[in-house]
Amino acid sequence: MMDPQSFIGRCQVDEDIADPARFVRLAATLDHDQPPWLEGMVPPLGHWLCFQPDARHSNVGPDGHPVRSDTGLLPNVDLPRRMWAGSRVEFRREIEKGAAIRRVSTLVAATPKSGRSGEMLFVTVRHEIGERDGEAAIVEEQDIVYREAAAPGAPLARPAVAVEGDDEVVRIVAPDPVMLFRYSALTFNSHRIHYDRDYARDEEGYPGLVVQGPLIATLLMDHLLRQKAGRKIARYSFRAMSPMYDGEEMRLGLAYESGQARLRAIGPVGVAMTAQADFSA
């Protein structure tokens, strides 16, 4: 295992096509006949459906993630549990559907910490995405947390984050195993906590299938766009607060403050995710 600090500055370049069929399937997963996106353009957060992992099956670990190595982008540390904790996304310009696109990913931070749940590693990856040979249209800083393996038979503690204040617009959803499967298929995410109930319970200590963080963030973005169809988003950020499990009722809340959209997903024990968005002028 290498010092995670030695990975800082590593870069990886990926290329793809912004295939319109992916966004048709995203609209179906979000239950739209006519999605509230700009016609002909990649929808906000649609870039998460692109640049899918392509590790050979023999190079996939027991959790379903590609095996890390000393030569890869992400630090090779002995902390098996992984969570996408949040992102800060800047939408600088639109990307046309069908465009040839490129993503340049750079590891910009790798910070070890110790907490009540044991040793952790906080990693930040900066993604710059745009049409090939063009300027970046989307810039995202993605935060990933690596944690120790769960103790055998120990249930995973779920933080209870208090709900304060009221929301102006509320929508109720209950992500089920089918929605989780479809979103994992859209992103080619093979992490077993999202579809293998026995693994999620017995190996990682979850009581059910874990709703993907980016799916919750996408549901919040969709909640906003259902109210502001066609509006251009300049910036979007989210932070995961507490996990949600399949079948649980999720209350999507939206409020406006000083021209900014404030969003949150609320589950059985409180706030599961917070997000905010700024509109383009």
Side-chain angles (χ1 to χ4, degrees):
M1 300 295 176
M2 295 179 63
D3 178 2
Q5 297 285 321
S6 68
F7 283 74
I8 295 176
R10 289 196 182 186
C11 185
Q12 178 176 305
V13 179
D14 297 289
E15 295 188 342
D16 202 353
I17 302 293
D19 180 7
R22 298 178 190 179
F23 312 120
V24 171
R25 295 186 180 98
L26 176 62
T29 301
L30 297 174
D31 205 25
H32 287 295
D33 285 327
Q34 182 63 42
W37 311 324
L38 291 176
E39 184 71 24
M41 301 298 173
V42 173
L45 306 183
H47 66 284
W48 289 346
L49 279 58
C50 303
F51 312 106
Q52 297 176 353
D54 58 1
R56 293 172 53 191
H57 189 72
S58 57
N59 290 332
V60 173
D63 63 352
H65 278 306
V67 174
R68 282 169 275 161
S69 71
D70 290 344
T71 60
L73 176 70
L74 296 173
N76 184 19
V77 293
D78 190 20
L79 296 170
R81 288 193 292 170
R82 170 179 172 176
M83 180 183 72
W84 186 341
S87 280
R88 296 160 297 284
V89 187
E90 181 183 357
F91 299 99
R92 296 181 176 178
R93 55 183 59 82
E94 302 296 330
I95 297 177
E96 292 186 5
K97 292 178 181 177
I101 53 177
R102 172 176 293 158
R103 180 182 68 186
V104 180
S105 304
T106 307
L107 194 138
V108 297
T111 307
K113 292 185 178 180
S114 296
R116 287 179 296 179
S117 59
E119 297 299 316
M120 297 179 288
L121 178 67
F122 291 78
V123 170
T124 300
V125 180
R126 178 181 172 89
H127 301 292
E128 297 177 83
I129 300 150
E131 298 187 19
R132 292 179 194 171
D133 302 322
E135 296 181 357
I138 301 169
V139 177
E140 175 178 6
E141 287 194 343
Q142 176 188 359
D143 298 324
I144 304 168
V145 180
Y146 293 96
R147 296 176 297 163
E148 295 178 352
L156 189 71
R158 177 154 63 161
V161 183
V163 178
E164 299 178 355
D166 297 318
D167 297 308
E168 298 174 27
V169 185
V170 173
R171 180 170 179 258
I172 305 297
V173 297
D176 59 15
V178 176
M179 180 181 283
L180 270 61
F181 169 82
R182 296 181 85 182
Y183 190 78
S184 283
L186 281 169
T187 56
F188 206 60
N189 177 2
S190 54
H191 194 185
R192 291 170 66 183
I193 62 173
H194 305 308
Y195 62 87
D196 186 337
R197 194 177 303 276
D198 291 342
Y199 174 87
R201 180 189 62 240
D202 299 339
E203 297 298 327
E204 299 211 18
Y206 296 109
L209 299 178
V210 181
V211 182
Q212 300 93 326
L215 172 57
I216 300 176
T218 297
L219 288 168
L220 288 171
M221 173 68 82
D222 182 63
H223 182 46
L224 172 61
L225 294 178
R226 284 171 184 262
Q227 310 303 316
K228 300 289 185 180
R231 286 292 302 272
K232 292 184 179 181
I233 307 298
R235 285 169 294 277
Y236 183 77
S237 62
F238 75 91
R239 181 184 177 194
M241 311 292 287
S242 188
M244 291 284 298
Y245 305 114
D246 67 301
E248 292 183 334
E249 185 176 278
M250 182 188 303
R251 193 172 88 212
L252 306 176
L254 166 63
Y256 300 100
E257 181 180 330
S258 301
Q260 185 178 68
R262 301 278 184 173
L263 298 131
R264 58 185 178 178
I266 300 170
V269 300
V271 179
M273 179 176 288
T274 59
Q276 60 187 46
D278 296 309
F279 298 105
S280 298

